[in-house]
Amino acid sequence: MPDFTGKLRNLSRRRLVGAAAAAAAGGGLVLMARLSHDGGGDASGAAAMPHGTVSDPRVFVAIAPDGTVTIAAARAEMGSGAARTSLPMVVAEELDADWSRVTVVQAPGDEERYGNQDTDGSRSLRHFLLPMRACGAAARMMLQTAAAERWGVDPAQVEARNHAMVDTRSGRRLGYGALAAAAARLPVPPAAALVFRDPQHYRYVGRGTVPISDLHDITTGRARYGADHRLPGQRYAVIARPPVMGGRLLSSDAAAAMQVPGVERVMTLRGSTPPGTKFLPLGGVAVIARNTWAAIRGRAALGLVWDDGPNRHYRSEDDRAALLAAVRAPGRVVRSSGDVEQAMAAASEVVSAEYSLPYLAHASMEPPVALVQVADGSCTAWAPVQSPGGARDDLAQLLGLRRQDVTLHPTLLGGSFGRKSQHDFVLEAALLARELGVPVQVQWTREDDIRNGFYHAIAAERIEAARDAGGRVVAWRHRSAAPSLMTTFRAGADHPSGMEVSMGMVDLPFDIPAIRCETAAASALAPQAATAHARIGWFRSVYNIPHAFAIQSFVAELAHAAGRDAKEMLLDLIGPPRIADPRPQTARRMFWNYTAPWQSYPIDTGRLRHVTERAAAAAGWGQALPPGHGLGIAAHHSFASYVATVVRVAVAGDGSLVVPQVDTAIDCGFAVNPERIAAQVEGAAVMGLSLALYGEIGFADGRVQQGNFDDYQVVRSDQAPLRVRVHIVPQPPGMPAGGVGEPPLPPFAPALCNAIFAATGRRIRRLPIGGQLAA
């Protein structure tokens, strides 16, 4: 049985290059390949790789004389295992390396070397599977050629077998370490010449037998998260930020804070005023101390007085009402096919419903934290960031340094869900470190995280559908209103982008003759909704959450209105297996396919039908259930994957509910690491239940009303689904990989609410559910 106790190290750029140089000097092989794919062709063959070298992504592999294979993880590790386990495992598989002799190193932020490093959008496997396969195959072929030259034989009679090259005729054998020096002198095979291993011989990929590389360190407390890094002479800081967006400091009592033992300095930190300021800090008052606890106590003594500015009267409940009013009026058309108005006028019945969802906070396990040193014209940072390259670039710009003088070490993210794609906390630490001349660690508390974060946007959705005399749905109109992510980057961004409307709205794969999708621009909303009142950021699945909740809830409502089974109604709307192409019906530049090329990642309704049928069958759809029990179903396509979820609920007379079972079927293309896929889906069920039951950030007088897990709740262990069963649709290695981290979340809430209706007859159209089920 192979040893799967993975080894992980963190290296700086200089140490990474130095390690590679040492390997080469000592007779090792160093391969740096800039390889990418265009998503086309057969992923199992060399034809799938482009010709030449490109910038995204860059893969670094080193083989030492003792045979140790070192693989750089170019993206940050979210906790899913994609960056530090699944992708290195792909390299090891194509290399035919022994996983127990593989070391994974965390690469620093350096997009010039590694290409795009953003750990978001469920892109890690989707974008890097083929380049990682190519990197492993190229290294194996170089070792194969080196062995053939040493033995004076045709390379065709040399085979890779578990970390060694074997002469198939004589039985001679040489380990990778013995061949590394010679292999290093050989040219890297061009992409068109690569020969990939037969997937039938895979030992790791697709098997689900390799635990995450960090598992031992995480379970024994040795894993190093953002807050765990230390430098000699470092100081600790917490910051009091404006409680209302756009507010400014009137006064503070620095002398009182300085009386707290351990506090050394109180500083005013200049900040920016959103919207349109990207990830620049909000500013405020920083308390610097010899430990974090002293800094927190010093901040509490500041006696802060704020001018709350133009948002002092903002209430999110007013925003919700304004958004709902907006979706009742015509908006900007982003997709149109057929004549919706005529079909509605001629319909036998028109069904409509409105849905609303609140702001959401990420509440990742480790709150934001960063350690930064600025000295001698350079900057070095340690932080849990999802975009190491982007954070490095922003640090260079903020400090006026050259990019090459900034080093960013991504740590374990400690959870994120999108929050740590916004690296304002790193920039805060950099500003303080530059001012103080010593390393500074800025620590956010849970309250800071909840009250000063980047939130998932509040949203309202309205859907109307017309049925003809035969009961067929012949027209569909979907109106959506929500603040745009673009307000983070551009002031005056008053309309959703193509990226946002393509997340489950304009890409609707239903077989309906007339479809019309509209969005409300901010200028059309009530005055209180016309301005961004909170920082809007990426959140797991992003705008798929409100769109899927509305659409999949409405499908069940249509079924009930027609007296039909919800699953059968969903399948009828999906229609026959086909490629559903919304592009000709979509307004210019308003279609976005998750950065995936359409020719390789079209919307395949056959795959969506299949996961729907599989989840329903696994859950026992149609079975007789006891009183108070119900099944609900929802299916959704996002991030190039297809997911269907069936939730079973049991609702008691007092409105309390239990989720005895969840069945989720996922088709994510080729499943590289099934064990990690199952874990992601299981986590989505817990997160989905938390958000549906409790998730809400509310504003009153401009201030966030929640602060910690007592009032921004997540489900406890006794509330979590009792059983989550994951059904992975098998696909061959030639099938391009889809996303995994984000796609399981959107269908959960509508499946849950549909199950509640089946159990109680109560329809949930507003999230969170909260006390809506109380008798």
Side-chain angles (χ1 to χ4, degrees):
M1 185 73 179
D3 177 12
F4 291 143
T5 55
K7 299 177 289 295
L8 178 74
R9 290 185 293 151
N10 285 282
L11 295 181
S12 68
R13 282 185 296 142
R14 293 181 179 86
R15 289 180 62 199
L16 192 60
V17 173
L29 176 149
V30 175
L31 167 67
M32 179 175 175
R34 295 184 179 184
L35 298 167
S36 183
H37 71 96
D38 60 4
D42 176 7
S44 64
M49 297 300 302
H51 298 285
T53 57
V54 295
S55 61
D56 182 17
R58 307 175 186 196
V59 183
F60 190 93
V61 177
I63 302 177
D66 65 356
T68 298
V69 174
T70 300
I71 302 173
R75 290 196 165 193
E77 180 54 65
M78 184 85 70
S80 68
R84 293 184 178 180
T85 303
S86 297
L87 287 172
M89 184 178 71
V90 170
V91 176
E93 189 72 85
E94 284 294 342
L95 183 58
D96 202 2
D98 181 343
W99 183 252
S100 67
R101 302 178 68 183
V102 172
T103 295
V104 180
V105 297
Q106 180 63 59
D110 189 346
E111 293 198 337
E112 291 175 319
R113 174 168 296 161
Y114 300 106
N116 183 283
Q117 293 181 281
D118 291 352
T119 306
D120 59 18
S122 286
R123 291 184 291 173
S124 292
L125 268 296
R126 182 155 55 92
H127 281 193
F128 284 80
L129 173 58
L130 287 181
M132 284 297 218
R133 289 189 71 193
C135 187
R140 170 175 43 79
M141 293 173 68
M142 295 165 70
L143 292 164
Q144 182 182 18
T145 300
E149 290 181 352
R150 181 172 299 188
W151 290 326
V153 300
D154 188 333
Q157 74 181 57
V158 178
E159 288 184 358
R161 295 181 185 173
N162 194 24
H163 228 84
M165 288 295 164
V166 176
D167 183 345
T168 57
R169 295 185 181 178
S170 68
R172 290 176 291 184
R173 183 182 184 93
L174 283 171
Y176 286 173
L179 294 167
R185 294 190 289 269
L186 298 173
V188 177
L194 293 177
V195 177
F196 294 97
R197 293 185 65 213
D198 186 340
Q200 292 184 355
H201 299 150
Y202 281 174
R203 289 176 291 157
Y204 313 126
V205 171
R207 306 298 182 189
T209 55
V210 178
I212 59 175
S213 297
D214 306 279
L215 183 61
H216 180 266
D217 286 350
I218 290 172
T219 53
T220 58
R222 297 179 182 178
R224 302 189 73 192
Y225 294 90
D228 295 323
H229 290 265
R230 298 288 182 269
L231 290 176
Q234 78 175 61
R235 295 296 184 266
Y236 302 81
V238 297
I239 300 170
R241 301 169 187 85
V244 178
M245 197 175 87
R248 64 185 181 90
L249 180 69
L250 291 179
S251 65
S252 64
D253 189 350
M258 292 294 292
Q259 294 301 309
V260 175
V263 172
E264 296 186 339
R265 188 167 175 180
V266 177
M267 292 173 53
T268 298
L269 185 67
R270 294 186 61 185
S272 62
T273 302
T277 53
K278 198 183 176 186
F279 311 140
L280 289 175
L282 292 171
V285 182
V287 178
I288 298 92
R290 291 188 173 273
N291 58 73
T292 301
W293 178 237
I296 292 173
R297 290 179 61 222
R299 181 175 66 175
L302 282 171
L304 299 162
V305 178
W306 300 93
D307 175 354
D308 290 339
N311 289 317
R312 61 168 57 89
H313 301 303
Y314 173 63
R315 295 174 70 248
S316 52
E317 189 59 27
D318 293 338
D319 221 353
R320 188 187 77 87
L323 293 170
L324 283 169
V327 297
R328 293 167 189 151
R332 185 179 300 182
V333 177
V334 290
R335 177 182 173 183
S336 181
S337 64
D339 192 331
V340 169
E341 298 298 336
Q342 181 180 8
M344 293 280 185
S348 296
E349 181 185 20
V350 175
V351 180
S352 64
E354 296 172 354
Y355 306 89
S356 63
L357 299 89
Y359 289 106
L360 297 171
H362 304 81
S364 51
M365 186 175 295
E366 183 185 36
V369 59
L371 172 62
V372 178
Q373 181 175 39
V374 179
D376 302 324
S378 67
C379 172
T380 306
W382 291 260
V385 290
Q386 289 180 245
S387 178
R392 179 190 178 215
D393 289 346
D394 285 355
L395 281 169
Q397 182 176 0
L398 180 73
L399 300 174
L401 299 175
R402 299 179 304 169
R403 182 186 295 130
Q404 58 265 37
D405 293 325
V406 177
T407 302
L408 191 288
H409 302 289
T411 66
L412 273 173
L413 293 181
S416 182
F417 311 118
R419 170 59 181 97
K420 293 164 188 173
S421 286
Q422 291 94 197
H423 38 260
D424 52 331
F425 52 98
V426 186
L427 304 183
E428 289 176 333
L431 290 172
L432 294 177
R434 181 177 64 178
E435 176 68 20
L436 295 172
V438 297
V440 174
Q441 183 178 79
V442 167
Q443 177 68 64
W444 287 47
T445 65
R446 178 62 63 199
E447 288 78 8
D448 296 335
D449 179 42
I450 298 294
R451 293 174 178 155
N452 290 111
F454 288 79
Y455 304 105
H456 187 292
I458 188 173
E461 313 287 328
R462 178 181 173 87
I463 304 179
E464 301 167 84
R467 294 192 298 135
D468 63 16
R472 183 190 177 201
V473 177
V474 293
W476 178 283
R477 178 163 53 211
H478 182 174
R479 291 176 177 155
S480 178
S484 173
L485 269 169
M486 296 303 106
T487 61
T488 299
F489 304 94
R490 186 176 70 254
D494 68 344
H495 194 271
S497 66
M499 174 188 69
E500 292 160 304
V501 299
S502 295
M503 292 181 172
M505 189 181 182
V506 301
D507 55 338
L508 181 76
F510 286 175
D511 185 24
I512 300 173
I515 296 175
R516 187 180 180 94
C517 299
E518 303 172 9
T519 61
S523 57
L525 307 182
Q528 65 266 28
T531 305
H533 303 286
R535 296 193 294 179
I536 306 301
W538 291 281
F539 191 94
R540 186 179 187 181
S541 296
V542 208
Y543 287 84
N544 284 289
I545 293 176
H547 296 154
F549 177 66
I551 291 168
Q552 293 299 310
S553 295
F554 189 67
V555 169
E557 296 209 41
L558 276 176
H560 180 71
R564 298 192 58 195
D565 177 80
K567 182 199 76 172
E568 295 307 318
M569 174 62 80
L570 175 56
L571 290 173
D572 279 358
L573 289 172
I574 294 172
R578 69 197 187 286
I579 299 302
D581 189 353
R583 294 177 299 171
Q585 307 163 8
T586 304
R588 182 171 177 264
R589 291 186 295 183
M590 296 305 285
F591 180 79
W592 180 76
N593 200 35
Y594 299 96
T595 69
W598 178 259
Q599 65 270 25
S600 298
Y601 291 95
I603 301 173
D604 186 340
T605 63
R607 296 173 70 183
L608 188 60
R609 288 184 65 90
H610 182 70
V611 292
T612 301
E613 292 167 332
R614 182 159 181 179
W621 188 268
Q623 64 182 297
L625 296 175
H629 287 241
L631 289 177
I633 191 168
H636 191 67
H637 162 263
S638 68
F639 299 94
S641 290
Y642 305 82
V643 178
T645 292
V646 176
V647 175
R648 178 171 176 170
V649 298
V651 183
D654 63 357
S656 62
L657 64 81
V658 174
V659 178
Q661 185 168 300
V662 178
D663 282 277
T664 295
I666 179 169
D667 181 350
C668 56
F670 179 53
V672 172
N673 196 338
E675 189 273 336
R676 291 287 84 207
I677 294 170
Q680 287 280 67
V681 175
E682 291 163 353
V686 176
M687 185 176 185
L689 185 59
S690 293
L691 296 176
L693 290 179
Y694 306 121
E696 180 173 21
I697 291 295
F699 287 80
D701 298 324
R703 285 167 161 77
V704 173
Q705 298 301 290
Q706 293 74 29
N708 211 311
F709 290 126
D710 58 337
D711 49 16
Y712 188 80
Q713 295 185 56
V714 297
V715 296
R716 275 50 172 178
S717 58
D718 61 346
Q719 299 171 303
L722 300 182
R723 181 166 58 168
V724 179
R725 303 193 300 184
V726 182
H727 313 280
I728 301 172
V729 176
Q731 297 287 8
M735 176 70 76
V740 171
E742 306 195 63
L745 186 61
F748 187 90
L752 172 70
C753 293
N754 292 339
I756 289 172
F757 179 79
T760 68
R762 298 190 182 186
R763 186 67 69 184
I764 305 296
R765 297 192 180 105
R766 174 178 177 170
L767 293 180
I769 296 168
Q772 295 181 64
L773 297 179

